Amino acid sequence: MRDLGVYFGTFAPCHVGHFEQIVRAKRENTRAVVIVSGYEGDRGDLAGMSLVNRTKSMRELLKDDDNVTVMKLDETDIPKYPAGWQPWLELLEAHIIEGAGEFNSVTFYVGEDEYIEPLNTYFTAQWPDRDIVITRVDRRITGISGTSIRENPIYNWDYVTRPFRRFFVQNVLIIGTASTGKTTLTRDLARRYSTSYSLEYSREYQTERQVKDDELDIKDLQAIGIGQYEVNRKHIHSPGTRKVFFADTDVMTTKLYSKIYLSDEDYQKIAPVFDFYISQQTWALILLLPPTTTYVDDGFRDMSQADADSRNKMHQMFLDELEEHGLMERTVVLQGDSFQEKYEEAHRLVDELLAEGKDN
């Protein structure tokens, strides 16, 4: 067995073809170094996968492998390919030394012929006392490429390694005033698409701390807003999330309730915090349920005029907030008269979102 295997790439995303080579590098050698390379504005970055986040995801993928080290090679400050061969090779050498320490033999696993000569020439000169082998791997084994995945990630979902799937999950937010059936709709859609979903964190928070609506203060609402963000984020990253994720409520909802329950002074303090978290959310589709009637599990019942006025006002607040954050283009107000009609409309919209990639 040789000492060190080196495998490098953009990994935008890391797919099963890449993983097969990582397995080979760590099995044919005592240890392996996997180097994630790229720069600001590279093909991964343009697809929503920055170099830092790709590196984090790769570390997550390989976290249980004690004989594999993941390194980040930032090419931002060197000339772009093909002009930057020399500085790139120097950076590569430094990262290998940092990640591997002492070794006498090294095998580079490369997917393209153009890397073979520069690697061989540079490292033969730099490491004359080390046994250097350049191995050309067959990229046709799996018949998949990062380009194909970026162009149609949902269709190629099963080729993407799990930590990198989060970059391609289609996040669907379901919002609306109280008692519109959004929780039931969220559950039904998640079951229909065999994926995960989140519920309102405020219910969990208020039950655990025994806080009533009219007792919520600025600290409670901040905890609820950030807690909702973290709950949604956890599910997006969950192994149980497949292609699409459904969220019952988000930070925006907490912001609106803060406007209702807090003094203007306290609201002005906390609104920028919520706006930051709202800016960090990424929704492919937002389904807004209108407050037509009050939904209950066995049908519909009328609401008082005061309730109707309150919920209509809240509905308009949702529309205003969506407009403020530039989210109306991806928002659909469900129009069905019955819950079944709303479910069917939502189902159709999600099918369109997943397009040819849906598998059920």
Side-chain angles (χ1 to χ4, degrees), residues 218-347:
I218 187 170
K219 292 182 179 179
D220 291 321
L221 288 160
Q222 176 174 309
I224 289 170
I226 296 174
Q228 187 70 60
Y229 174 86
E230 291 298 335
V231 166
N232 291 346
R233 182 173 177 270
K234 177 182 177 181
H235 281 284
I236 292 169
H237 293 186
S238 167
T241 299
R242 180 174 176 80
K243 302 184 181 181
V244 61
F245 158 70
F246 297 96
D248 172 8
T249 306
D250 73 327
V251 185
M252 182 167 33
T253 302
T254 312
K255 181 185 176 185
L256 296 185
Y257 279 108
S258 297
K259 196 168 189 177
I260 294 171
Y261 290 116
L262 295 179
S263 67
D264 185 63
E265 180 182 357
D266 280 348
Y267 175 73
Q268 295 302 326
K269 291 177 183 177
I270 202 170
V273 176
F274 290 147
D275 285 338
F276 169 76
Y277 282 97
I278 292 169
S279 72
Q280 299 304 299
Q281 301 175 141
T282 304
W283 304 113
L285 174 66
I286 300 173
L287 302 176
L288 176 58
L289 280 76
T292 51
T293 55
T294 301
Y295 176 79
V296 292
D297 288 342
D298 57 350
F300 292 86
R301 60 180 170 83
D302 293 332
M303 66 176 76
S304 69
Q305 187 60 51
D307 283 342
D309 290 344
S310 174
R311 289 172 189 175
N312 284 330
K313 179 181 178 181
M314 187 70 175
H315 180 69
Q316 186 59 51
M317 289 173 68
F318 272 114
L319 292 171
D320 293 343
E321 193 70 21
L322 290 163
E323 183 70 36
E324 178 182 334
H325 290 280
L327 296 171
M328 285 303 296
E329 287 187 359
R330 64 195 70 177
T331 298
V332 176
V333 180
L334 297 181
Q335 299 298 324
D337 292 329
S338 67
F339 181 81
Q340 178 63 25
E341 289 176 353
K342 289 183 174 67
Y343 168 77
E344 290 174 355
E345 183 181 1
H347 184 337

Side-chain angles (χ1 to χ4, degrees), residues 184 186-195 197 246 343 360:
T184 301
T186 300
R187 285 193 176 113
D188 285 350
L189 288 171
R191 291 163 180 161
R192 172 64 181 82
Y193 291 93
S194 301
T195 190
Y197 63 94
F246 297 96
Y343 168 77
N360 58 1

Side-chain angles (χ1 to χ4, degrees), residues 111-183:
E112 298 179 18
D113 291 334
E114 62 197 42
Y115 286 101
I116 296 176
E117 191 279 327
L119 287 170
N120 189 55
T121 299
Y122 179 86
F123 285 103
T124 298
Q126 291 297 110
W127 298 340
D129 297 328
R130 290 183 171 127
D131 179 14
I132 298 166
V133 172
I134 315 294
T135 297
R136 174 71 158 85
V137 302
D138 189 351
R139 299 180 63 182
R140 299 170 299 174
I141 293 175
T142 60
I144 192 64
S145 68
T147 301
S148 299
I149 292 171
R150 291 192 299 275
E151 290 176 349
N152 197 338
I154 302 302
Y155 182 80
N156 293 300
W157 184 263
D158 290 327
Y159 291 110
V160 183
T161 56
R162 194 177 300 280
F164 286 80
R165 289 178 178 178
R166 69 190 60 162
F167 299 115
F168 305 109
V169 173
Q170 300 297 295
N171 301 317
V172 178
L173 172 62
I174 300 173
I175 52 175
T177 62
S179 302
T180 53
K182 58 187 177 64
T183 298

Side-chain angles (χ1 to χ4, degrees), residues 27-192:
R27 296 302 181 197
E28 294 180 348
N29 303 274
T30 303
R31 58 192 182 282
V33 173
V34 176
I35 297 175
V36 184
S37 65
Y39 52 88
E40 294 179 10
D42 66 11
R43 57 194 176 189
D45 197 10
L46 294 175
M49 297 172 281
S50 69
L51 174 60
V52 170
N53 286 334
R54 297 197 305 265
T55 305
K56 290 179 181 178
S57 296
M58 185 65 80
R59 290 195 188 114
E60 183 179 342
L61 176 67
L62 301 169
K63 63 183 178 182
D64 296 324
D65 277 310
D66 294 334
N67 63 333
V68 179
T69 301
V70 176
M71 304 293 293
K72 175 175 76 317
L73 194 161
D74 191 343
E75 306 171 17
T76 301
D77 295 327
I78 66 173
K80 300 298 180 288
Y81 175 86
W85 268 118
Q86 184 65 25
W88 185 84
L89 288 165
E90 291 171 358
L91 282 174
L92 180 63
E93 179 186 9
H95 284 66
I96 293 171
I97 295 297
E98 180 183 349
E102 295 296 323
F103 56 92
N104 294 315
S105 60
V106 57
T107 303
F108 291 91
Y109 297 85
V110 301
E112 298 179 18
D113 291 334
E114 62 197 42
Y115 286 101
I116 296 176
E117 191 279 327
L119 287 170
N120 189 55
T121 299
Y122 179 86
F123 285 103
T124 298
Q126 291 297 110
W127 298 340
D129 297 328
R130 290 183 171 127
D131 179 14
I132 298 166
V133 172
I134 315 294
T135 297
R136 174 71 158 85
V137 302
D138 189 351
R139 299 180 63 182
R140 299 170 299 174
I141 293 175
T142 60
I144 192 64
S145 68
T147 301
S148 299
I149 292 171
R150 291 192 299 275
E151 290 176 349
N152 197 338
I154 302 302
Y155 182 80
N156 293 300
W157 184 263
D158 290 327
Y159 291 110
V160 183
T161 56
R162 194 177 300 280
F164 286 80
R165 289 178 178 178
R166 69 190 60 162
F167 299 115
F168 305 109
V169 173
Q170 300 297 295
N171 301 317
V172 178
L173 172 62
I174 300 173
I175 52 175
T177 62
S179 302
T180 53
K182 58 187 177 64
T183 298
T184 301
L185 180 61
T186 300
R187 285 193 176 113
D188 285 350
L189 288 171
R191 291 163 180 161
R192 172 64 181 82

